[in-house]
Structures are given as C-alpha cells and as structure tokens.
Amino acid sequence: MIDVTVPVSLADVSSYRPGNPISAEHFARLRREAGTASATMFDPPRFRHHVGVGETPADMAERAIAPMLARQGKDLLDEVDVLVVHTQLPETWFVGNGGQVADRFGIVPEWLLDLANGGCASFIHGIKLAREILQSTTARSALVVTVTNTAGQVFAQDQVRSMAQAAIPGDGAGIAWLTKSDRSPILDIETRHLPEFAGAMTSIADPPRRYWEAGPGEHHIGFTESNVAEVLDRGNRIVPDVARAVCERIAVRPSELDLLVTNQPNRTFLRNWRQALALPADRHPDTFEDCGNLFGTAMPMTFDYAVTSGLVPDGSVVMFAGFAHAGDFAAAAAVRWGGRYSPADAAC
C-alpha cells in the first residue's frame, strides 16, 4: 500500500552533454525547403551536441552521474534500490539498456524499470514511478535516468540530415536522485495518457519498409505538414493543462511559480507555455539554444543548469511539465526545492 505521508524528495540532479557544440550551419548547407508548420516546429537552435561514435547509453549515463557522485560520494549508490531508465534509442535488442546502466553503476537494484514510453516527459513519468515504489516498499532511494541519443545516430544520417526535422534534436543524458526525506519534497504529480494519439508518431523510409526490415532507405520520423500542425496545437494545450492541475492541488497560482522547467521542442512551445501560465521568461529557463531539442533529457539538463547557475533559491516551487511524441502523454510535477542534498545533511 502506498503511504502518501512518506515524503519523497528530489535530492540532486546532474547531466551530461556529449562532444563539442555543433552549429546550425552543419545542417543549413543541405536543408530542404520546409512548409509553414514545419518551419515553426523545426526552427533550429544555434547549437546542439551529438553522441560520439561508439558512445553507448551506459557510457552517457555514467558520464551524467559523475558530477553527482563527485558531490555526494560513491556511497550514494549503496542505497539505490530503484533504477528507472528511459533510453530514446535502446541499443540492446529485445531489452532496454537499464541492465547495462545498473552494471555500469555497480548496483543491483531490487526495482529496475526500462521505460519505453513517456518520451519528452519520461523524466516526470520516471519520478512518479520511483516515488510510488519508495512510498510503498522498504526501498531507500532511487535514480531516474534519461538518455537521448538519436541526434548523432539517426538525424545525422546522409538521407535524413537535409530534412527540416534533423536540425533541431540534440543528445545528452540526465539523472535525478530521489530519497525518502522532506528536504526537497515532491508536492504533486499529474500524468495523462492520451492513447488515441499513440500511433501518430511513426517511423518511415523511402522506399517503405518496417524499421527492422533490410532496405536502402534511412528511417526518419514521418512528419507531414498536417500532423505537425496538429502536434503544435495539441502541445500548446496539454502542457499548460497538466501544470494547472498540479497548481490547483498544491494551492499555488501558475503565475506564482518560482520556476517552470519543460521539455524543449522549439522556441514556439517555450514561448506559448510560459505565456499560458503568465510567467516571465526569467522564470522559465531553457537550454534550447545550446542543446536543441533534448527530448526526455531536457528537464534534468535544464534544471541542472538552473541550479548550478544559482537560479533556484532554496524554497522555490519548481514546476516540471511536458508532453511526449505527438501528444500521447503529458505530465507535470511540482517540487519545493530545498537545495542540493549533501552528505553533511545526513549527519544533521
């Protein structure tokens, strides 16, 4: 049984950006003409990072957790009983990369979950699952890992690179550490599945084939002008909706939020979401111009950047919010940030 009286906190977050920044010019030389909706959806950032040749999801996860272990000490791993991993492009056939991440971390968690869904909102999806396990079992702490690795492996392919969609994604990894404490409590979470849109995000090739079938065409996302316009409209609505639902339950007006941290699909979504919640730009930090669309890693990457940059005073109410794929999932979570946990806190 879940005991909601057990507080679960977001104790720390860290992230990893692979390689050197890649400029928009890398794609602009070959970019084809785009329609109006696609030009809005895929207006490229100044820079992004690409996963290195041969760099695996486990490599990226290990590099993402390194700053956290430097702060907290490697003993942190001794009490991790829950590991939730979302890998955008799993590299292990049939199973995800969660087992390899656990092995790389040197842990044997009782709970090891590979999330195949959640997409750009997988960070919140993972936090919700981890929190409920912590509240209903004797598990001591949890790690939520997101790995984004398609920019340098799918969107950089010769036949895909000239498409408008190729210039916007970036790669990276993020990690959250959850503990049973009231230092930075998770106040509330809202998740909404919209299964009627689950098949709207498709992979296609020319000539047509299923993704596992041999053939000459390189696979890419099957965007059209009409479905891009639908995603723009849907995303503009569902992200503010889930954030407002959380705000109502924690009795905080959206305009009173200290920080909004979202996924980073494009500039239009970022602008529209903060305007819908009546928040100024300085309370909605983003990493879009430097990292592009990081999909599931955008939230931990951006929050890590915000905390490290001193943008999140202790006591801040932080709202994480985002949606996945073509709108088949949306989620929001509020945290009252108490600062990064440190080993000294445990001795108090």
Side-chain angles (χ1 to χ4, degrees), residues 28-101:
R29 292 191 298 269
L30 298 176
R31 188 168 180 173
R32 303 176 198 165
E33 197 68 30
T36 303
S38 292
T40 300
M41 185 78 160
F42 306 124
D43 185 19
R46 294 179 306 165
F47 300 102
R48 81 282 292 134
H49 295 254
H50 282 181
V51 59
V53 175
E55 190 171 27
T56 68
D59 293 333
M60 295 177 73
E62 184 177 36
R63 289 160 187 160
I65 202 173
M68 186 184 296
L69 296 181
R71 286 189 294 269
Q72 310 294 348
K74 293 187 177 180
D75 290 349
L76 174 157
L77 296 170
D78 295 340
E79 294 193 352
V80 174
D81 297 315
V82 183
L83 177 65
V84 183
V85 179
H86 173 82
T87 305
Q88 187 185 32
L89 185 65
E91 294 189 0
T92 306
W93 205 8
F94 297 123
V95 298
N97 292 108
Q100 291 175 316
V101 170

Side-chain angles (χ1 to χ4, degrees), residues 44-261:
R46 294 179 306 165
F47 300 102
R48 81 282 292 134
H49 295 254
H50 282 181
V51 59
V53 175
E55 190 171 27
T56 68
D59 293 333
M60 295 177 73
E62 184 177 36
R63 289 160 187 160
I65 202 173
M68 186 184 296
L69 296 181
R71 286 189 294 269
Q72 310 294 348
K74 293 187 177 180
D75 290 349
L76 174 157
L77 296 170
D78 295 340
E79 294 193 352
V80 174
D81 297 315
V82 183
L83 177 65
V84 183
V85 179
H86 173 82
T87 305
Q88 187 185 32
L89 185 65
E91 294 189 0
T92 306
W93 205 8
F94 297 123
V95 298
N97 292 108
Q100 291 175 316
V101 170
D103 182 60
R104 189 67 63 86
F105 289 176
I107 61 176
V108 185
E110 180 179 0
W111 300 85
L112 201 169
L113 305 176
D114 267 291
L115 295 184
N117 65 338
C120 296
S122 57
F123 182 67
I124 301 172
H125 191 19
I127 285 176
K128 181 175 182 177
L129 291 170
R131 182 184 69 157
E132 297 199 3
I133 293 170
L134 291 173
Q135 289 179 326
S136 59
T137 72
T138 58
R140 294 162 292 177
S141 70
L143 291 173
V144 176
V145 180
T146 62
V147 176
T148 302
N149 59 340
T150 60
Q153 299 187 117
V154 174
F155 292 99
Q157 295 179 104
D158 289 342
Q159 295 174 20
V160 182
R161 183 178 148 191
S162 62
M163 299 177 182
Q165 63 182 262
I168 204 164
D171 291 327
I175 296 186
W177 177 38
L178 275 60
T179 61
K180 289 181 176 178
S181 79
D182 60 1
R183 179 178 176 84
S184 295
I186 299 166
L187 303 176
D188 194 77
I189 301 176
E190 173 84 1
T191 56
R192 295 182 188 175
H193 292 276
L194 295 89
E196 65 268 33
F197 304 121
M201 186 69 76
T202 59
S203 170
I204 63 173
D206 185 18
R209 62 183 174 86
R210 290 174 289 188
Y211 74 87
W212 63 86
E213 294 177 324
E218 294 172 352
H219 271 271
H220 57 278
I221 299 174
F223 283 121
T224 64
E225 277 297 290
S226 61
N227 67 23
V228 165
E230 291 171 359
V231 171
L232 284 167
D233 178 66
R234 197 173 299 133
N236 280 331
R237 289 183 287 104
I238 59 180
V239 172
D241 282 352
V242 289
R244 290 190 191 104
V246 172
C247 282
E248 183 175 355
R249 290 198 294 269
I250 66 173
V252 173
R253 293 177 181 175
S255 62
E256 296 173 342
L257 293 168
D258 296 299
L259 210 72
L260 173 67
V261 179

